[in-house]
Amino acid sequence: MLYFKCGLVILSTTYILSLCSQIAKETNSLDAGFALLYVASGAIAGKIIYDRYRQIHILGALTPNPNVTSFANKISSLSASFLSLGFLVYLFLFLLKVDNYCLTALSIFVCGFGTLYIWMQCLITTYLSTLYYDKHLTTLRQYLASGSFIVLIVMAILGTVASFIPRGGTRGIYFCLVATSLCSYVLTAIFCVFILSFEKEYEYFSDGLRTEMLLDDACSLTSTSFSDMDSIFGTQELNSSTIVSKGNISSSKAS
């Protein structure tokens, strides 16, 4: 999809320039540009996350345990809301040039909810494997979720240590702040890769649920689900030979 391609370009550009600015330490003349890139990145990421929520809200009923899928989807949407709020506050404080301690604490807050979102979506991916299965995609998300948790723990420990080190201990504070900043960039990269990996599922479900790919023959889609899917994936016509409906399931069983 187009906005996934735009997201890849804008998110990558924002990430690289932001990382370079941390090394160069000369961002006064580029603050306006960074602000625009941050807003564009947040808008694209928010669009992907919102569509993902609607997708799971519809398709979750087809999983073996819809209650677990629905609960995980609600938790991930809540964590995404706090993530968005923290991102906006971070952008505001970034423009105001607040001290590093405040930005570090807020970064831990944002990365924490980002990691929670990744774990919930990783759980949802496991339940959606009854509708389709992609070994490489599932493995990638499991590695990303595990890595994000480890990096978050290290980031939280170093951030806490930095807050207790006396201001006179310049070398210790500098090391903790730099390491915490690097951890936040690693978590940001993990989060970007994770949400951009949703493109494969969008491509799959936008073509309709194909009978040969279904692992659970008891699954069915109602006409309401079809109309909801049209609102998410566009107005393109669903191929009748590839859509699973109650009629073709019952006919296949009868044969």
Side-chain angles (χ1 to χ4, degrees):
M1 288 186 176
L2 180 61
Y3 58 85
F4 276 99
K5 294 180 175 60
C6 294
L8 178 61
V9 174
I10 294 179
L11 291 175
S12 301
T13 302
T14 305
Y15 183 84
I16 294 173
L17 292 180
S18 180
L19 185 60
C20 291
S21 69
Q22 292 295 320
I23 299 175
K25 293 297 182 181
E26 294 181 3
T27 61
N28 292 330
S29 60
L30 301 176
D31 284 347
F34 280 137
L36 291 176
L37 284 174
Y38 282 140
V39 171
S41 298
I44 290 179
K47 169 64 176 175
I48 295 174
I49 291 173
Y50 176 68
D51 282 351
R52 175 68 173 178
Y53 167 79
R54 296 178 63 198
Q55 182 189 52
I56 302 304
H57 180 70
I58 295 170
L59 299 174
L62 303 177
T63 60
N65 196 331
N67 293 331
V68 174
T69 306
S70 177
F71 179 76
N73 196 31
K74 291 178 181 178
I75 294 297
S76 64
S77 64
L78 182 64
S79 63
S81 299
F82 282 107
L83 175 64
S84 301
L85 179 62
F87 176 78
L88 291 176
V89 175
Y90 184 91
L91 177 60
F92 180 74
L93 295 179
F94 171 79
L95 295 176
L96 290 180
K97 297 294 184 181
V98 299
D99 58 59
N100 291 329
Y101 292 96
C102 184
L103 291 178
T104 298
L106 188 57
S107 296
I108 296 174
F109 173 86
V110 173
C111 291
F113 281 104
T115 301
L116 177 60
Y117 179 85
I118 290 175
W119 274 97
M120 289 297 102
Q121 288 297 325
C122 191
L123 176 63
I124 290 173
T125 299
T126 302
Y127 278 89
L128 284 180
S129 63
T130 57
L131 303 180
Y132 76 103
Y133 183 71
D134 189 318
K135 179 180 179 181
H136 299 292
L137 183 62
T138 303
T139 303
L140 171 65
R141 292 183 181 170
Q142 289 174 349
Y143 278 123
L144 291 175
S146 301
S148 65
F149 180 75
I150 296 174
V151 176
L152 178 65
I153 293 299
V154 174
M155 180 181 179
I157 293 175
L158 293 176
T160 303
V161 171
S163 64
F164 284 103
I165 295 179
R167 296 298 178 94
T170 307
R171 179 175 296 181
I173 292 179
Y174 179 77
F175 171 78
C176 290
L177 291 178
V178 170
T180 303
S181 179
L182 290 176
C183 289
S184 68
Y185 275 97
V186 172
L187 286 172
T188 301
I190 291 175
F191 184 78
C192 291
V193 172
F194 194 93
I195 64 173
L196 289 176
S197 70
F198 293 155
E199 181 181 11
K200 191 172 183 65
E201 290 158 308
Y202 272 57
E203 291 176 350
Y204 173 78
F205 288 113
S206 64
D207 293 333
L209 295 175
R210 296 184 289 275
T211 54
E212 67 271 16
M213 295 296 290
L214 274 175
L215 303 181
D216 186 0
D217 291 337
C219 295
S220 63
L221 289 176
T222 64
S223 58
T224 303
S225 298
F226 288 143
S227 62
D228 289 338
M229 288 178 68
D230 286 339
S231 65
I232 294 178
F233 300 115
T235 58
Q236 61 182 13
E237 180 181 359
L238 295 177
N239 191 326
S240 60
S241 65
T242 62
I243 297 178
V244 177
S245 62
K246 290 183 178 180
N248 59 25
I249 291 178
S250 59
S251 62
S252 64
K253 289 184 177 180
S255 62

